[in-house]
């Protein structure tokens, strides 16, 4: 049986798409059981629909309490019985009960070479702006295990890119994103078919 993944994404979902495409091309043997997002206008929803993947919008504000949200989110994820949970540009903090229920089974992709430029406030273009401001000559992306603290879990894989003096946050983001689209499916493959096979 194919291992099952659940993807959580808040944005355009290009990393989510890289996982869909890798499955389609046969380089990743897996089944995406569901996409969960906290944004009703996330581009990832259209990508899920186009690929026939059930998409679900779950926002803490739709529930009577954070506890109710946490319970509902956990139930949805458990209903898919995932082997791995993938955060692909998911901007909300994952509730502690979800993290506790899936130890070492939740990964996140981050657009910097962690531990540099990680943690609160370092997301999207904030990361690339800071890298350029510090005149770094190398940046990259990281896939890591999700722990209770933002961007602090054990690092699984990284890829580097050069940073040019002429770079803007946009040009650097594009270069890093190209690497993310390779690193994420490859790391999922390693976890599902090498580490926990
Ligand atoms: C990526 O840069 C990822 O590293 C970060 O959020 C961004 C999501 O981009 N966590 P996309 O929605 O996958 O295009």
């Amino acid at each position: 049986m194919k291992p099952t993944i659940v993807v959580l994404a808040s944005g355009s979902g290009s990393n989510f798409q890289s996982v869909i495409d890798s499955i389609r091309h046969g380089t990743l043997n897996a089944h995406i059981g569901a996409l969960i997002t906290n944004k009703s206008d996330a581009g990832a929803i259209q990508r899920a629909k186009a690929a026939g993947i059930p998409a679900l919008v779950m926002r803490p504000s739709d529930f009577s309490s954070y506890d109710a949200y946490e319970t509902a989110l956990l139930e949805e994820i458990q209903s898919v019985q995932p082997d791995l949970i993938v955060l692909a540009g998911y901007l909300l903090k994952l509730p502690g009960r979800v993290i506790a229920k899936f130890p070492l089974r939740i990964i996140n992709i981050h657009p910097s070479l962690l531990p540099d430029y990680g943690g609160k406030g370092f997301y999207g273009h904030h990361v690339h702006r800071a890298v350029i401001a510090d005149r770094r000559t190398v940046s990259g992306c990281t896939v890591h295990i999700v722990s209770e603290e933002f961007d602090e879990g054990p690092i699984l894989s990284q890829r580097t890119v050069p940073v040019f003096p002429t770079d803007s946050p946009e040009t650097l983001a594009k270069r890093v994103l190209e690497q993310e689209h390779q690193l994420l499916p490859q790391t999922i493959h390693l976890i599902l078919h090498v580490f926990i096979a």
Side-chain angles (χ1 to χ4, degrees):
M1 227 176 61
K2 287 185 183 184
T4 297
I5 307 170
V6 170
V7 178
L8 283 83
S10 306
S12 87
S14 70
N15 275 292
F16 172 46
Q17 187 70 50
S18 75
V19 180
I20 294 171
D21 292 345
S22 298
I23 292 172
R24 194 170 285 152
H25 296 148
T27 51
L28 176 62
N29 182 27
H31 160 75
I32 305 177
L35 167 81
I36 299 177
T37 180
N38 61 310
K39 297 263 185 205
S40 53
D41 59 351
I45 296 174
Q46 293 313 319
R47 297 180 191 273
K49 284 190 179 152
I53 297 164
L56 203 70
V57 181
M58 296 191 80
R59 296 171 290 216
S61 58
D62 293 336
F63 294 85
S64 55
S65 65
Y66 190 78
D67 191 56
Y69 158 72
E70 205 171 359
T71 302
L73 181 61
L74 190 54
E75 278 175 9
E76 285 298 341
I77 294 175
Q78 282 180 312
S79 73
V80 179
Q81 295 190 302
D83 296 286
L84 188 68
I85 300 168
V86 177
L87 308 190
Y90 188 63
L91 293 177
L92 282 190
K93 204 167 165 57
L94 205 56
R97 264 161 62 205
V98 176
I99 297 174
K101 201 80 193 170
F102 294 94
L104 304 178
R105 293 295 170 109
I106 311 175
I107 61 169
N108 178 47
I109 183 145
H110 185 81
S112 78
L113 294 174
L114 290 175
D116 292 347
Y117 306 101
K120 213 169 161 45
F122 281 123
Y123 60 90
H125 284 178
H126 298 286
V127 173
H128 307 299
R129 201 166 290 136
V131 168
I132 291 169
D134 288 349
R135 299 182 194 280
R136 294 289 181 108
T137 54
V138 177
S139 190
C141 50
T142 302
V143 175
H144 66 95
I145 303 264
V146 171
S147 66
E148 289 279 354
E149 298 307 319
F150 259 127
D151 304 327
E152 280 193 9
I155 290 170
L156 295 171
S157 58
Q158 291 184 313
R159 273 181 175 232
T160 59
V161 301
V163 183
F164 301 119
T166 50
D167 265 329
S168 65
E170 290 73 23
T171 58
L172 180 55
K174 186 167 176 283
R175 196 174 308 121
V176 172
L177 205 51
E178 282 169 9
Q179 297 304 314
E180 292 183 43
H181 295 162
Q182 297 183 36
L183 187 68
L184 185 60
Q186 283 175 358
T187 307
I188 293 172
H189 169 80
L190 269 181
I191 296 170
L192 294 178
H193 298 291
V194 180
F195 296 153
I196 62 173

